[in-house]
Structures are given as C-alpha cells and as structure tokens.
Amino acid sequence: MDVNWLQDFVCLGRTLNFTRAAEERHITQPAFSRRIKSLENWMGVPLVKRSTYPVQLTEAGLQFLPIARETVANITDARQAIRAEERGSTAFQRVAVLHAISLTYLSDRIAVLEKQIPELRVRVYSDNLRTCCQLLTDGSCDFLLYYRHRDIAPMIDETQFARRDIGVEQFYPVAETRAAAENGWNLSAPGTAQIPYLSYDPHSLLGTIVDQTIGNRAPPLALRYMDALAEAIKRRALAGSGLAWLPELSVAEDIREGRLVIAGGEEWHTELTLSLFCSLDRLDKTGRSVWESI
C-alpha cells in the first residue's frame, strides 16, 4: 500500500475525472490510472466505473472513499504531531492560500496573530485554487483561505468543513493613472478605443471571475499580457501597460496615493468574499485559537 494511492483516490472521488485528477496530483494521466489500478488490485475489488462519463465510483468505491479520506488525514496529522514532539515545539498551523491573498491579507494577519498567540508557528502553502483545495481535502493542511464568488461553484464539498467568512472586498478594473488619463482607458466611457488588457490565466480563479463579470458584453479590450499571478499583473498595470482587474486589498494604497485609478463604473465591479475553511475536529489547541481569532 502506498499512501499516494489513497490521495489519488480521494482526488478522483472529488473530481470524477481522470485527466483533472492527474493534473491536480501533478502526474501524467497514464501514471495516475496505474496507481488507481494498483489500489484496486490491493483492495481486490473495482473502485471506479470507467465505462461512464463522468466516471463514477462503484459501491465499493463509495464505501471506501470516506475511509481513504480519513486515513490520509490521520496519517498526515500523526506525522505532524510526531515531528513536532521530536522537535519539542508546537506543531505548525498549515495554511493553504491563494497567492494574491497571501500577499495582501495573510502576511499582515499572521503578524497580529503572533502577538495574540505567542506559541504560533505557521507554514503557508501559496498556490492555485485546485492545489489549495486538494491540500485541505487530503489533510495536508489545516486551513484553506480563498475567494468565494456568487457565480463560481466551490471546488470542495463545503459541507465537510467549517467555514468562516472574514470579509468582502471589491474586484474592479484599474489602470495606471497617467496612462488612463492620456489614453482614455475607461470601460464606462462611450466610444472608448481599444484598451490594452492584462489578463489572468483563463483557468485561474480570478480569471474565471473576470470572465463571469464581463459576461456577454464586449468591452473594448485588446489582450496584451497574461499571467496566473495577481501580483505580476499588478506590476504590469503600475508600469502603464494596460487595464487589469485586481482585488481591492491589492490596490487600495496605490489608488489612495494616485498611482492607479479605477477604470470602469460599478457595472464592471464584482465582490469577492474572503473565506476560511477547516476541519474543526482535526485542529489542535493552537489551531482552535487561530480559528477563533482570525
């Protein structure tokens, strides 16, 4: 038995898609399929119905999924506890978080929590949404912090976790102040010429949210740059390279100090809800203090 087989199966049980699950597990689909087959051989029964689309779990697979999920979580928790005891120190509180939130919210919040919880030790995993969700689902982290949006279906089964909504921030189009004024970069202005557009990777969470915000409208945007990271896109915006949608916390200071300007009316704005998830029954004493204080 390889614990990776269990983690693979948990991922497949959530996605019901071999290709997507293999991507999330960062292995090729043939290798992923072989590992699932190895688990089935070890179990002695089929766990997956491969003839259906999307794939479905067999009755045995449905019975085994919660056991696999709990086993992975228990192994991960035990490893952390044993390592912490060996070091003679408090275990790390492991937080999976989107890159943008790590920079704009979490770092400052941890500084406050360190004063309230002297024994606090934090391990941050900054990554894309799929990876962050997988880390929480398979028990490799204690907390998940990401943006929820009314038009985007959650990537985890939220009924399995406790959730706390920390706050709401605006997500709006911005541009460098001088470039916007000189070139008339404003999505709400009539007859606006083509505006250089700084886009997120379309497979990223923020990229999907921008697409939902634009909807069926056809704004005068000419794609000039694409990146998965909000901070990289912000740097291009500050350099005057074009218009980009950015979270409020990321650009509030730049707008106050005149470096950036909002480049579209409220019809181009949307709201992001900053949400924290965890499994309460798996938190240690320090983890519960974090949950209650954050």
Side-chain angles (χ1 to χ4, degrees), residues 100-223:
I101 300 173
S102 179
L103 290 170
T104 61
Y105 172 81
L106 186 59
S107 180
D108 290 342
R109 188 60 189 149
I110 289 174
V112 174
L113 289 173
E114 286 172 339
K115 297 177 181 179
Q116 299 174 347
I117 311 171
E119 69 275 16
L120 180 64
R121 304 171 79 229
V122 180
R123 170 71 167 92
V124 175
Y125 301 88
S126 296
D127 216 310
N128 61 59
L129 180 57
R130 285 185 179 179
T131 300
C132 288
C133 288
Q134 185 63 40
L135 288 169
L136 180 68
T137 301
D138 67 20
S140 297
C141 74
D142 306 295
F143 299 98
L144 167 65
L145 189 61
Y146 79 98
Y147 289 126
R148 296 172 67 250
H149 188 270
R150 62 179 181 271
D151 295 328
I152 307 297
M155 293 188 65
I156 59 172
D157 182 355
E158 295 187 355
T159 63
Q160 295 183 26
F161 304 99
R163 187 187 95 207
R164 173 167 291 171
D165 292 337
I166 296 173
V168 175
E169 59 181 292
Q170 292 294 311
F171 187 51
Y172 38 48
V174 300
E176 194 273 327
T177 303
R178 180 177 295 179
E182 292 178 352
N183 296 287
W185 292 347
N186 190 317
L187 293 175
S188 298
T192 301
Q194 289 287 298
I195 304 173
Y197 177 36
L198 314 176
S199 170
Y200 294 96
D201 184 301
H203 300 295
S204 68
L205 174 64
L206 294 181
T208 303
I209 293 173
V210 171
D211 287 343
Q212 290 289 339
T213 301
I214 292 175
N216 294 325
R217 294 176 291 182
L221 297 173
L223 182 61

Side-chain angles (χ1 to χ4, degrees), residues 11-12 14 38-39 44 60 87 89 91 99 101 135 142 144 158 164 176 236 249-250 255 265 290-291:
C11 185
L12 181 60
R14 177 173 56 81
S38 295
L39 177 61
R87 292 191 301 266
S89 58
H99 291 283
I101 300 173
L135 288 169
D142 306 295
L144 167 65
E158 295 187 355
R164 173 167 291 171
E176 194 273 327
R236 298 302 304 152
L249 287 180
S250 174
I255 291 174
V290 171
W291 175 256

Side-chain angles (χ1 to χ4, degrees), residues 271-290:
E271 289 186 343
L272 305 175
T273 300
L274 185 58
S275 298
L276 181 69
F277 294 85
C278 76
S279 294
L280 287 173
D281 57 351
R282 285 171 42 208
L283 296 182
D284 59 16
K285 181 179 178 181
T286 303
R288 286 188 173 272
S289 295
V290 171

